[in-house]
Amino acid sequence: MGKRRKRGREEEVSNLSKKQKKHLKEFGEQHPFYDPVSNVQERTQQVELPDSSENESHSESEAESEEENTNMYQQLLATLKHVSDDDDEDDDDEEEDDGAQMEDENEQLVSDVDEDSEEGDEAVQEDVGEGEEEGDDEEPTEPGDPTLEDGEQFTDNKHESKFSLETNFLEDDAEVPENEPAAPSVIVSADPFKQHVDRELEEHEINQITSNPKTTSSMKWPMLGQLAFSSSLTKVHPLSKPEKDTDLTKLRLRKPLDSTWPKANGSFLTGQSDPNFTPLQRELFTIMNSYKDLYYPSRMATAQGEEIRHVYCLHALNHVLKANSQVLNNNARRRDQKTGLDDDDHLRDQGLTRPKVLIVVPFRESALRVVQILISLMEVPGKKVDVSNKKRFKDEFGSEPEERPPNLKRPEDYEAIFAGNIDDHFRIGVSILQKSMRLYSPFYSSDILIASPLGLRTIIGSEGEKKRDFDFLSSIEVLIIDQADIYLMQNWEHVLLMMSHLNLQPTDSHGVDFSRVRMWNLSDWAKYYRQTLLFSALQDPQINSVFNKHCFNYSGQVAVRNMPVTGSISQVLVQLPHVFQRLEAESMLSVIDARFNFFTGKILPQYRDAIMSHTLIYIPSYFDYVRLRNYFKKEELNFTHICEYTDKAGISRARQFFLKGERQFLLVTERFHFYKRYMLRGIRNLIFYELPTYPHFYSEMCNMMKAWNKGEEATWTCTVLYSKYDAQRLAAVVGAERTAQMLQSKKNVHLFVTGENN
């Protein structure tokens, strides 16, 4: 159809005189003298403007469309929409025939008009762009693409055909998926991926998962420690201990991971007997590769964190490569055997949308490291992986080294968390096809999505918003939430919103071939197949709630349950009495008001006297901070306050007032300490309105108390408020054994003393 239309337009050009052709070539359109008279009159009548604003816009659009129909410039551009690459091969024969030379001249006119119009005509550029060669990264983004926000984020639409799963096949030298027969078969694969996705759950099993209580078994591993494995189904593979065998083939890694992993992970293997994994990595990967959910609450931000990041990137990429190779292999089957395969359930190999893996990280620096690991895992020795838009990615997610004062010192965990680009609003799609990787791919053409909770929140939107989209989360098969504790310091509501929109049925088909969609995706059972990997630096009720209430994996859940032995109070170096006061509350909802009443009624009156000056009150919750600040203002107490929203000038004033004793009280939020870690001098009395989220914050705040004069230590105090609902935080501070004694004791006040006695 495209060729016939092109020939018709070229015949019109061939009928023009030389003067008309010259004018068309120079100006891109015919002289108005040659315009059809009837069309010009009709266009003039359509442009007449009525009084109504709606009719005004309507008539303008009609006039524009009419102008497109009569303008030779637009007619010639229209011929380019269906030009294929094969048509350009005729240009080599232009010297063989004089008639062909005239035809080539007409084609040259068409191409010249196209070059002049590429920048001005947006619609034609979208149609032609898919067939163009690789060039500039600046490609227009589709209006429906969720990675677009007010034109701020770039999306690569240029390489759609190259990375399309529907139109590509396994390369000739590619590895056929192991244990996958060349024709449909009932052979059970030994690959954990195949075992997990190919199992068809029954209706009664779904009912067991949703209604039956989970049965839990415990075991202890050398590195992970105490594990709790729970499942609602009886017919699931139990958790097996990690094999000590160093042979990677037994782990069913997809090529080229079996050859690239030892090099990519080499920095952690110095002095290790195992040439592939550290002991921690091997135990973690054993659980990941069994497709069970995992909650690991001991993920520190230091070197251990990078070990974990490498191993979950290995698992995510292994999953994507296996899933994509299965689709490409089935594409070849359909091509070679065209009869009787459309309804074959063995060709059901994909979800309702393409994204399979969602990796949630807090900062752009974290996303940068994840992508760098994925690239290193794709790079075969001697061959460089083809990565699209790599330079743009480094520019947007990297950072320039900042100049810092030489005397500025921060704790080790602070330096690790806030290294590099700490922007927390981002999202990026990654598509992988055999030996190539595309960054900034549209979400519905991506295999892996890397985003922050805030970046997802701005796409998902809220109920009632017109512009919102979450269909790309409908077929997530592996969810990785890394550094979950940091989201408590950002906005935990974004995490809950994301979890509530995972694996929902999409509102649009998005061009999916339903004959290739797995039955459990069509049955809205995707959440029972999704694997969730949750990593955190601490145990917290809110994080525990996500793992317990939003993870339904039929293979079961594995949670690491190691109780602290000593607690962070052992890291307090100053001589200080610690008074722990227990408050009574009937429920989790009533504990907020109970704490406020207990503090204002029993604790605060003890510190109103001028003798009890230099009192710092540490408040984890911002809402409690606002409530106390308003109360202090109402009572006209002599105080100052600092929170995460206070500007630098306000922080400096408050610190000076408190240090000099001009303000008796200083209110400080936990998020201020998390993001700044300033040394607050002048503390003589310390009150923890609630136990800190991070246990080491307790010792950090206590160690800020330094003696200015001899004998001052004798007047220092530290008071801590807690309830029975703070058991996890209390155990992290004083240890599990002491916590049990304090919660079971009939006494409400307990005293600990730290520091050396001279």
Side-chain angles (χ1 to χ4, degrees):
M1 180 63 181
K3 292 184 178 181
R4 291 201 300 270
R5 293 181 63 181
K6 179 186 174 189
R7 293 194 192 98
R9 300 306 180 194
E10 291 175 351
E11 288 177 4
E12 293 179 10
V13 176
S14 64
N15 295 331
L16 300 178
S17 63
K18 291 183 178 180
K19 185 176 181 180
Q20 290 174 324
K21 292 179 181 178
K22 181 179 179 182
H23 191 283
L24 177 62
K25 183 175 182 180
E26 292 178 354
F27 299 98
E29 62 179 357
Q30 273 286 34
H31 194 279
F33 177 82
Y34 299 102
D35 287 345
V37 177
S38 59
N39 288 345
V40 172
Q41 290 177 352
E42 185 178 356
R43 185 172 68 254
T44 304
Q45 292 173 359
Q46 293 289 337
V47 171
E48 292 180 358
L49 302 177
D51 295 335
S52 171
S53 60
E54 293 185 3
N55 294 337
E56 178 180 348
S57 60
H58 180 66
S59 61
E60 285 178 358
S61 63
E62 287 183 349
E64 291 174 359
S65 62
E66 195 67 25
E67 187 174 351
E68 290 176 359
N69 293 333
T70 58
N71 196 328
M72 177 64 75
Y73 169 76
Q74 297 291 344
Q75 290 178 3
L76 292 174
L77 290 178
T79 65
L80 298 178
K81 292 185 178 181
H82 304 283
V83 177
S84 64
D85 295 335
D86 296 333
D87 297 331
D88 297 334
E89 297 177 357
D90 298 335
D91 297 343
D92 299 335
D93 303 325
E94 57 180 319
E95 296 182 357
E96 297 180 3
D97 186 45
D98 292 337
Q101 183 176 1
M102 179 63 71
E103 182 179 351
D104 184 69
E105 181 180 349
N106 297 336
E107 291 181 354
Q108 183 64 34
L109 281 174
V110 175
S111 63
D112 289 342
V113 173
D114 175 47
E115 291 174 2
D116 295 336
S117 64
E118 278 182 354
E119 296 180 357
D121 193 277
E122 199 172 311
V124 174
Q125 188 180 19
E126 290 177 358
D127 290 333
V128 179
E130 192 169 310
E132 292 176 348
E133 296 180 355
E134 293 184 16
D136 188 17
D137 284 338
E138 300 293 341
E139 187 75 1
T141 310
E142 295 179 1
D145 183 6
T147 59
L148 177 70
E149 186 194 8
D150 300 329
E152 292 181 1
Q153 288 199 242
F154 163 77
T155 305
D156 179 10
N157 295 316
K158 187 181 298 183
H159 305 94
E160 281 295 283
S161 59
K162 179 180 178 182
F163 286 86
S164 172
L165 285 180
E166 291 78 13
T167 58
N168 283 284
F169 307 93
L170 278 177
E171 296 179 357
D172 295 337
D173 59 343
E175 172 199 18
V176 176
E178 190 177 356
N179 296 307
E180 188 170 332
S185 172
V186 294
I187 298 176
V188 178
S189 172
D191 189 345
F193 165 78
K194 292 286 292 177
Q195 290 179 353
H196 184 72
V197 300
D198 287 352
R199 176 173 175 178
E200 295 290 342
L201 293 176
E202 302 293 339
E203 186 76 33
H204 68 90
E205 293 177 311
I206 298 298
N207 294 332
Q208 290 180 20
I209 296 174
T210 56
S211 59
N212 286 7
K214 296 180 180 179
T215 57
T216 304
S217 59
S218 299
M219 62 194 71
K220 191 172 184 179
W221 285 10
M223 292 302 299
L224 293 180
Q226 199 69 30
L227 304 182
F229 171 63
S230 58
S231 175
S232 298
L233 298 181
T234 55
K235 296 181 179 180
V236 293
H237 294 288
L239 186 61
S240 56
K241 290 186 177 181
E243 298 181 3
K244 296 182 180 180
D245 198 335
T246 59
D247 187 5
L248 283 179
T249 57
K250 294 186 177 181
L251 298 178
R252 308 286 174 179
L253 292 182
R254 175 74 181 168
K255 289 186 177 181
L257 300 180
D258 53 352
S259 59
T260 59
W261 168 249
K263 181 181 178 182
N265 196 45
S267 59
F268 306 108
L269 301 176
T270 305
Q272 298 280 347
S273 58
D274 190 334
N276 301 315
F277 295 94
T278 65
L280 175 63
Q281 287 178 331
R282 180 166 287 279
E283 293 186 7
L284 288 174
F285 190 75
T286 299
I287 300 174
M288 294 178 188
N289 205 32
S290 66
Y291 280 89
K292 292 175 172 57
D293 292 340
L294 171 64
Y295 175 30
Y296 182 67
S298 302
R299 187 252 193 247
M300 300 304 169
T302 51
Q304 183 203 55
E306 292 306 308
E307 283 186 55
I308 296 172
R309 200 194 311 273
H310 273 70
V311 76
Y312 75 61
C313 286
L314 171 68
H315 176 64
L317 189 56
N318 189 41
H319 179 86
V320 168
L321 291 176
K322 288 180 179 179
N324 286 357
S325 64
Q326 185 181 29
V327 174
L328 298 178
N329 189 43
N330 287 339
N331 288 348
R333 292 182 187 175
R334 297 188 67 175
R335 176 191 61 186
D336 299 338
Q337 305 174 16
K338 297 182 179 179
T339 58
L341 286 182
D342 287 345
D343 296 328
D344 194 336
D345 285 345
H346 289 87
L347 295 188
R348 294 189 177 275
D349 50 19
Q350 52 196 269
L352 290 164
T353 52
R354 180 169 172 178
K356 308 169 186 66
V357 177
L358 173 61
I359 302 177
V360 183
V361 288
F363 303 118
R364 284 182 181 259
E365 174 68 19
S366 308
L368 175 67
R369 296 183 184 183
V370 167
V371 172
Q372 288 174 341
I373 295 171
L374 295 177
I375 294 174
S376 66
L377 291 173
M378 293 284 291
E379 285 185 335
V380 180
K383 296 181 181 179
K384 198 169 184 180
V385 63
D386 179 19
V387 182
S388 304
N389 309 306
K390 187 176 181 180
K391 183 179 183 301
R392 173 186 287 272
F393 174 75
K394 287 184 176 180
D395 293 340
E396 294 186 1
F397 284 75
S399 63
E400 296 292 335
E402 298 180 358
E403 294 185 1
R404 301 178 56 184
N407 60 344
L408 184 63
K409 295 182 180 179
R410 293 288 186 269
E412 183 182 2
D413 68 296
Y414 180 90
E415 299 289 355
I417 291 173
F418 295 103
N421 191 334
I422 58 172
D423 179 21
D424 64 349
H425 186 195
F426 63 90
R427 51 190 176 270
I428 184 172
V430 180
S431 56
I432 298 171
L433 200 68
Q434 299 180 123
K435 301 176 182 178
S436 302
M437 179 184 296
R438 175 172 60 152
L439 305 176
Y440 296 98
S441 56
F443 269 24
Y444 291 101
S445 302
S446 302
D447 298 298
I448 301 175
L449 307 180
I450 307 173
S452 66
L454 178 59
L456 291 173
R457 169 66 178 82
T458 53
I459 305 173
I460 296 173
S462 302
E463 193 70 32
E465 292 184 10
K466 292 183 179 179
K467 188 178 180 182
R468 58 189 308 230
D469 187 9
F470 46 85
D471 287 354
F472 56 89
L473 299 174
S474 63
S475 299
I476 295 297
E477 298 166 3
V478 177
L479 169 65
I480 301 172
I481 303 178
D482 195 11
Q483 296 177 273
D485 53 287
I486 296 180
Y487 310 138
L488 296 172
M489 299 292 109
Q490 294 177 344
N491 193 330
W492 189 252
E493 293 296 326
H494 298 337
V495 177
L496 298 179
L497 183 74
M498 173 195 71
M499 298 300 297
S500 64
H501 286 81
L502 280 170
N503 301 119
L504 301 179
Q505 289 292 78
T507 58
D508 186 44
S509 64
H510 300 284
V512 67
D513 180 0
F514 286 99
S515 66
R516 300 286 295 273
V517 178
R518 300 186 188 97
M519 292 305 299
W520 49 264
N521 283 102
L522 296 175
S523 302
D524 195 19
W525 291 351
K527 66 180 179 180
Y528 303 112
Y529 287 79
R530 186 191 75 231
Q531 180 188 32
T532 302
L533 307 177
L534 184 58
F535 301 99
S536 171
L538 51 89
Q539 292 195 38
D540 187 87
Q542 297 181 83
I543 302 177
N544 295 342
S545 176
V546 165
F547 189 73
N548 294 330
K549 295 183 179 180
H550 293 275
C551 298
F552 308 96
N553 188 353
Y554 80 85
S555 294
Q557 288 77 36
V558 179
V560 179
R561 304 293 187 192
N562 293 320
M563 298 303 294
V565 178
T566 56
S568 61
I569 195 172
S570 61
Q571 300 170 5
V572 177
L573 304 178
V574 298
Q575 183 178 344
L576 183 67
H578 305 258
V579 180
F580 287 78
Q581 301 214 18
R582 187 175 67 200
L583 57 96
E584 301 298 333
E586 296 179 356
S587 65
M588 282 285 292
L589 296 177
S590 64
V591 74
I592 298 175
D593 290 332
R595 179 178 286 109
F596 177 78
N597 295 330
F598 184 83
F599 175 79
T600 56
K602 295 186 178 181
I603 304 299
L604 187 59
Q606 303 174 20
Y607 292 86
R608 282 179 177 267
D609 197 296
I611 300 177
M612 305 296 290
S613 61
H614 296 273
T615 300
L616 185 143
I617 305 175
Y618 180 93
I619 312 169
S621 169
Y622 180 78
F623 300 104
D624 289 334
Y625 161 80
V626 172
R627 189 176 187 180
L628 283 180
R629 184 191 64 189
N630 295 340
Y631 177 82
F632 275 49
K633 287 182 179 179
K634 180 182 177 182
E635 295 294 319
E636 298 182 351
L637 297 176
N638 184 21
F639 80 104
T640 186
H641 51 89
I642 303 175
C643 71
E644 57 271 23
Y645 304 112
T646 308
D647 57 19
K648 289 185 178 180
I651 294 173
S652 299
R653 282 196 303 271
R655 294 174 70 188
Q656 286 297 318
F657 287 155
F658 184 71
L659 176 61
K660 295 178 180 179
E662 297 178 12
R663 298 291 186 270
Q664 183 177 354
F665 296 96
L666 173 62
L667 308 183
V668 177
T669 63
E670 183 172 70
R671 288 207 294 177
F672 167 79
H673 182 66
F674 175 79
Y675 284 106
K676 300 298 183 182
R677 306 290 178 95
Y678 286 172
M679 173 65 72
L680 301 175
R681 302 181 185 276
I683 306 174
R684 295 178 185 173
N685 303 290
L686 180 60
I687 300 176
F688 285 92
Y689 185 77
E690 185 182 0
L691 285 161
T693 304
Y694 288 89
H696 62 276
F697 283 4
Y698 184 89
S699 57
E700 286 182 8
M701 296 301 299
C702 292
N703 289 331
M704 289 183 188
M705 305 173 72
K706 293 184 179 179
W708 299 100
N709 298 310
K710 189 175 181 179
E712 275 189 352
E713 299 94 331
T715 61
W716 290 348
T717 64
C718 177
T719 304
V720 184
L721 276 63
Y722 73 98
S723 71
K724 62 182 180 181
Y725 301 105
D726 299 323
Q728 286 184 330
R729 294 187 180 187
L730 184 61
V733 172
V734 301
E737 185 177 349
R738 289 173 177 170
T739 298
Q741 295 174 358
M742 292 168 66
L743 293 178
Q744 295 172 5
S745 173
K746 295 181 179 180
K747 298 180 181 180
N748 293 331
V749 180
H750 295 82
L751 175 65
F752 299 89
V753 180
T754 58
E756 296 181 357
N757 295 320
N758 296 325

